[in-house]
Amino acid sequence: MAQNIYDDAAFFDGYGQFPRSRQGLAGAPEWPALRGMLPPLTGRRVLDLGSGFGAFCRWAVEQGAAEVVGIDLSERMIASARERGPGLPIRYERADLEAYAPAERAYDLIYSSLAVHYIADFDALCARVRDGLVPGGAFVFSMEHPIFATRADPEWVTDREGKRAFAITDYGREGERITSWVVDGVVKYHRKISTCVRALIDHDFAIDALNEWSPTEAEVAARPDLADEVVRPMLLLMAAHVAAPRTN
Amino acid sequence: MAQNIYDDAAFFDGYGQFPRSRQGLAGAPEWPALRGMLPPLTGRRVLDLGSGFGAFCRWAVEQGAAEVVGIDLSERMIASARERGPGLPIRYERADLEAYAPAERAYDLIYSSLAVHYIADFDALCARVRDGLVPGGAFVFSMEHPIFATRADPEWVTDREGKRAFAITDYGREGERITSWVVDGVVKYHRKISTCVRALIDHDFAIDALNEWSPTEAEVAARPDLADEVVRPMLLLMAAHVAAPRTN
């Protein structure tokens, strides 16, 4: 079972202070890029894995989705998501993504924002996501970029030119990392981009897009706090769709 | 036109001392992984972009390829490749990969080892490679991993735990890097994995595999000099095939 850090009171309070928690999608600088990877949602059935405060679920309703389901491990997150969108046609369900299996061929889009790096078995998740999608259905997700996730604790250094640099170690050693993020003892997993791509392809997905997200110069000029995102990427966005297995 | 560093006498002599130059494929630790990404070559037409000393071309002949063509910018490299495989049915041709266009639908496999990071316009290269392949034909190549290529000059640091770490900067700033490697002033290009994937998909390729190559623990035990490859990847291997453009 995945760690339920989001029901820890201290974590929940700290996490709630982040811009993306307070402002929703507008507080997530990668959102325009991630939105650009999504198929049209009008009339579509949408599942959000790790729905958090429900920002994406509410957006999907606005886009005219026919059905919107949000899955989260945290009771507090689900309660807060419901409070933020009272009366909206969204079904929230508490479940552990390490085991949760959507109904077969039930969705046109399965979305996940910054959740899959908490999952130990990404390969098994891809199999369940594939089974939950209709043929041609899309899996669009973001995760911590492995350059960021490979270190349990991020470390900045000064290079020989006096520039701010990011130290990486153990990129080739995939697996668990215990980090301090809001609180101590947060369990996450480092896996390479190539490992994610292999898991997707092994489970009949065709890759549509990768985005090792970094801001443009204009974005950094407008928001100088994003400068570190140019030094090293923190976020990886991916889009794939269920294709027929290759026969040739 | 790409820089012709390989016809520089000092570079050529220095480059010729590397294990992969002296021992061919056996001197390249990533070769078993790259070989595993190749289709069967019996009876196939094979093009090698940046054929160097010809090790892959000779291997393709051994595998029973029907036609083997090696392209290189360097006269010296081509001369040496011919000397290493006298009488073999390999056609070497001197050309600049920045402009070289294979005949349309002339090949079943286009291969390239550690050459594309010297090419300024990877997008245009993908278009020409696509045109040179039959439908379903494969493009299998290795390049410098962007974690390694993003710094003009690699820099190792010691992290707060006293471990050897690799400094990265400017990952989000793609483009030219002038580096010192064997000689000063070597021009290469940093591009993100996601940019390479986008170029391939934009030119009708389907992604078959990525490999951010790092050695296994057993490989490091046998060759301790490979330990740095676990800290940070230096090589990225990719395989794709020409697919019909997606219509849905």
Side-chain angles (χ1 to χ4, degrees):
Chain A
M1 165 159 183
Q3 180 188 40
N4 184 4
I5 196 78
Y6 286 85
D7 274 343
D8 174 281
F11 184 93
F12 187 81
D13 289 346
Y15 181 82
Q17 301 307 311
F18 286 116
R20 67 177 65 225
S21 302
R22 299 165 65 98
Q23 301 163 32
L25 301 174
E30 80 282 10
W31 166 244
L34 195 56
R35 185 182 58 210
M37 296 161 82
L38 295 169
L41 296 194
T42 314
R44 302 295 178 172
R45 294 161 296 167
V46 175
L47 174 66
D48 183 355
L49 299 178
S51 49
F53 291 127
F56 179 78
C57 288
R58 293 189 293 278
W59 183 83
V61 169
E62 283 173 25
Q63 301 302 305
E67 183 185 347
V68 179
V69 177
I71 301 296
D72 209 282
L73 182 59
S74 160
E75 281 185 9
R76 285 172 187 258
M77 295 296 266
I78 288 178
S80 180
R82 287 194 176 116
E83 284 168 17
R84 291 172 190 224
L88 289 179
I90 302 169
R91 178 161 60 87
Y92 291 106
E93 187 179 332
R94 189 179 180 202
D96 180 357
L97 296 186
E98 207 76 79
Y100 172 74
E104 285 198 14
R105 300 193 174 203
Y107 297 98
D108 301 292
L109 167 69
I110 297 182
Y111 172 90
S112 181
S113 173
L114 298 178
V116 303
H117 53 274
Y118 297 121
I119 304 301
D121 194 342
F122 182 71
D123 194 81
L125 179 75
C126 286
R128 294 192 301 269
V129 168
R130 186 253 338 260
D131 292 344
L133 287 167
V134 297
F139 182 28
V140 178
F141 63 97
S142 64
M143 56 183 270
E144 281 191 358
H145 194 291
I147 286 178
F148 183 80
T150 185
R151 285 191 70 90
D153 295 300
E155 182 170 344
W156 292 91
V157 293
T158 302
D159 75 3
R160 64 168 79 93
E161 293 163 3
K163 285 175 68 175
R164 188 167 164 80
F166 190 76
I168 74 164
T169 47
D170 295 323
Y171 193 87
R173 284 193 192 91
E174 301 182 282
E176 189 179 84
R177 302 289 191 269
I178 313 282
T179 190
S180 294
W181 182 63
V182 188
V183 297
D184 289 339
V186 176
V187 178
K188 63 180 187 178
Y189 296 88
H190 163 58
R191 51 181 71 90
K192 298 192 280 191
I193 297 175
S194 50
T195 300
C196 297
V197 167
R198 173 182 293 184
L200 288 163
I201 291 173
D202 281 351
H203 295 294
D204 309 325
F205 284 98
I207 306 297
D208 294 318
L210 263 64
N211 186 334
E212 299 176 272
W213 188 80
S214 45
T216 62
E217 288 187 21
E219 286 170 320
V220 175
R223 283 194 50 185
D225 61 305
L226 292 178
D228 282 349
E229 308 308 311
V230 180
V231 180
R232 57 94 189 95
M234 188 164 63
L235 302 175
L236 173 65
L237 322 179
M238 295 188 70
H241 71 273
V242 179
R246 192 181 177 197
T247 51
N248 63 327
Chain B
M1 165 160 182
Q3 180 189 37
N4 184 4
I5 197 77
Y6 286 84
D7 274 342
D8 174 280
F11 183 92
F12 187 81
D13 290 346
Y15 182 82
Q17 301 307 312
F18 286 114
R20 66 177 66 227
S21 302
R22 298 166 66 99
Q23 301 164 31
L25 301 173
E30 80 282 11
W31 167 244
L34 194 56
R35 185 183 58 208
M37 295 161 83
L38 295 169
L41 295 193
T42 314
R44 301 296 178 170
R45 295 162 296 167
V46 175
L47 174 66
D48 183 357
L49 298 178
S51 49
F53 291 126
F56 179 78
C57 287
R58 293 189 293 280
W59 183 82
V61 169
E62 282 173 25
Q63 300 302 306
E67 184 184 346
V68 179
V69 177
I71 301 296
D72 209 281
L73 182 58
S74 160
E75 282 185 7
R76 285 174 187 255
M77 295 295 266
I78 287 179
S80 180
R82 288 193 175 116
E83 284 167 19
R84 291 172 189 225
L88 289 179
I90 301 168
R91 179 160 59 85
Y92 290 106
E93 187 179 330
R94 189 180 179 202
D96 180 357
L97 297 186
E98 208 75 80
Y100 172 74
E104 286 198 14
R105 300 192 174 205
Y107 297 98
D108 302 291
L109 167 69
I110 297 182
Y111 172 90
S112 182
S113 172
L114 297 178
V116 304
H117 54 273
Y118 296 123
I119 304 302
D121 195 342
F122 182 72
D123 194 80
L125 178 75
C126 287
R128 295 193 301 271
V129 168
R130 185 254 338 259
D131 292 345
L133 286 167
V134 297
F139 182 27
V140 178
F141 63 98
S142 63
M143 56 183 272
E144 281 192 356
H145 193 292
I147 286 177
F148 182 80
T150 185
R151 285 191 71 90
D153 295 299
E155 182 171 342
W156 292 93
V157 294
T158 302
D159 75 3
R160 63 168 80 95
E161 293 164 1
K163 286 175 68 175
R164 188 166 163 82
F166 190 76
I168 75 163
T169 48
D170 294 324
Y171 194 87
R173 286 193 191 89
E174 301 182 282
E176 189 179 82
R177 302 288 191 270
I178 314 280
T179 191
S180 294
W181 182 63
V182 188
V183 298
D184 289 339
V186 175
V187 179
K188 64 180 188 177
Y189 297 88
H190 164 58
R191 52 181 71 90
K192 298 192 280 192
I193 297 174
S194 51
T195 300
C196 297
V197 167
R198 174 183 292 184
L200 288 163
I201 291 174
D202 282 352
H203 296 294
D204 309 325
F205 284 98
I207 306 298
D208 293 318
L210 263 66
N211 186 334
E212 299 176 272
W213 188 80
S214 45
T216 62
E217 288 188 19
E219 287 170 321
V220 175
R223 283 194 51 185
D225 61 305
L226 292 178
D228 281 351
E229 307 307 312
V230 180
V231 179
R232 56 93 191 97
M234 188 165 64
L235 302 175
L236 174 65
L237 322 180
M238 294 188 70
H241 73 273
V242 179
R246 191 181 177 196
T247 52
N248 63 327

